[in-house]
Amino acid sequence: MFKFISRLYIQSVTETKLVVDTSRGERLRIHVFDIVFPALPCTILSVDAMDISGEEHLDIKHDIFKKRLDANGNGIESRQDGIGAPKIEKPLQKHGGRLEHNETYCGSCFGAESSDEECCNSCEDVREAYRKKGWALSDPDLIDQCKREGFLQRIKDEDGEGCNIYGFLDVNKVAGNFHFAPGKSFQQANVHVHDLVTFHKDSFNISHKINRLAFGDHIPGVVNPLDGVHWTQKAPSGMYEYFLKVVPSVYTDVKGHNIQSNQFSVTEHFKGAEVGHLKTLPGVFFFYELSPIKVTFTEEHVSFLHFLTNVCAIIGGVFTVSGILDSFIYHGQRAIRKKIEIGKLN
């Protein structure tokens, strides 16, 4: 009994409050995401983020990691770029001739260069130059750099593979979206599009499993609703959308340590597309909005007065129950004795 009462005093309680979020100029950190695409190779998968302020981050590579998966979901060792490329010993120079001995390599951007001095020395450089121009790369085999690196061959070799993509994103604290989709993205007539012509495919399987998605550090007792969610695509192609309502949250433990984080709620929707008509961009989109209300969790010890009230209530409850039991036993014994006496008289 003494141990129970002492534990009642030592334990902490968490008080929850709702306040208006008055913070300004902060960044929203998508602290960690870990998503598996069992039918999309890492080579074609890209990550973009954009918001209503007009800020865009296309084909993000910083703090983003990709792990190739085989058909069974097992990890595959990443290979070096260039494996499987045709044996072309001398790269094509920007001026049209082949690279000669003691000559500095400067590859052509095939009309997409922004200045006369710009060089595109890899297939990725050419694709990036095309992206900035808003052009699609229809046939990579016509690009010397892509042909030498075996870009299309690498895509064919990785057909049937999956990709585990994970990492962090740092975005403005305003409404926006981040998405995972095949192909490089670019702006065309003020419309966000992806270069899908490069892959010569009519449909893309965007089945996925979300191992983890969080908008900040872990808060004790809070569960992220998308952790462990799995979705399998049944239509030929389409866009899967998650609509998130992000709620700023602050957790303060008994020692005064603060955890600035976010909770979120989610709804989801799938928008299908017919085979060969990719009017709907295939991919997995996360649209998020910020709530103007902040939730604060404050962990604190029970006050002595509150503890004393609880102890009195417990002691009073014990006495009350004891009195009820004593009265029940007493009256029961009396009833039994009366029956016994009545039986003897008869």
Side-chain angles (χ1 to χ4, degrees), residues 33-48 64-76 158-167 178-183 194 201 204-213 229-233 238-242 270 281-286:
F33 63 83
D34 182 351
I35 305 176
V36 173
F37 292 89
L40 274 183
C42 289
T43 301
I44 71 173
L45 191 61
S46 65
V47 185
D48 299 332
I64 305 293
F65 306 91
K66 295 179 182 178
K67 183 179 180 182
R68 292 170 58 202
L69 304 175
D70 62 20
N72 298 317
N74 301 315
I76 302 174
E158 294 184 9
D159 190 33
E161 290 184 6
C163 187
N164 178 201
I165 185 166
Y166 55 96
F178 60 96
H179 57 267
F180 306 85
H194 279 241
K201 295 183 71 172
F204 296 87
N205 188 340
I206 58 169
S207 298
H208 58 276
K209 179 183 179 183
I210 303 174
N211 293 324
R212 181 162 168 71
L213 178 65
V229 168
H230 182 270
W231 180 78
T232 302
Q233 178 175 307
M239 174 194 296
Y240 204 84
E241 301 168 312
Y242 292 97
F270 176 70
L281 174 63
V284 178
F285 286 68
F286 295 85

Side-chain angles (χ1 to χ4, degrees), residues 109-167:
C109 296
F110 298 89
E113 53 275 317
S114 56
S115 66
D116 293 338
E117 293 77 24
E118 185 178 0
C119 300
C120 293
N121 295 341
S122 67
C123 183
E124 184 64 23
D125 290 345
V126 178
R127 295 179 70 203
E128 182 64 18
Y130 268 57
R131 183 192 68 77
K132 290 178 180 178
K133 284 284 188 179
W135 298 350
L137 190 62
S138 58
D139 191 352
D141 271 348
L142 297 178
I143 306 299
D144 181 69
Q145 294 89 325
C146 297
K147 189 174 183 180
R148 282 190 296 106
E149 294 173 15
F151 177 75
L152 282 182
Q153 185 59 45
R154 186 161 70 247
I155 292 175
K156 291 177 183 177
D157 292 344
E158 294 184 9
D159 190 33
E161 290 184 6
C163 187
N164 178 201
I165 185 166
Y166 55 96

Side-chain angles (χ1 to χ4, degrees), residues 43 47 107 155 186 196 199 255 272 308 339:
T43 301
V47 185
I155 292 175
F186 55 91
L196 303 178
F199 310 120
K255 296 180 180 179
L308 197 60
K339 286 184 179 181

Side-chain angles (χ1 to χ4, degrees), residues 6-13 254 300-302 310:
S6 62
R7 190 179 300 167
L8 185 67
Y9 180 61
I10 294 172
Q11 76 174 3
S12 59
V13 294
V254 289
E300 53 189 19
H301 285 301
V302 177
N310 286 340

Side-chain angles (χ1 to χ4, degrees), residues 313-327:
I314 291 170
I315 294 173
V318 170
F319 273 103
T320 301
V321 173
S322 299
I324 292 172
L325 289 174
D326 180 67
S327 176

Side-chain angles (χ1 to χ4, degrees), residues 334-346:
R334 284 193 61 184
I336 291 171
R337 284 176 184 172
K338 282 185 179 181
K339 286 184 179 181
I340 292 172
E341 290 175 0
I342 291 172
K344 285 180 180 180
L345 291 173
N346 294 334

Side-chain angles (χ1 to χ4, degrees), residues 65 88 101 119 167 260 275 304:
F65 306 91
I88 301 177
H101 186 61
C119 300
Q260 300 279 347
V275 178
F304 181 75

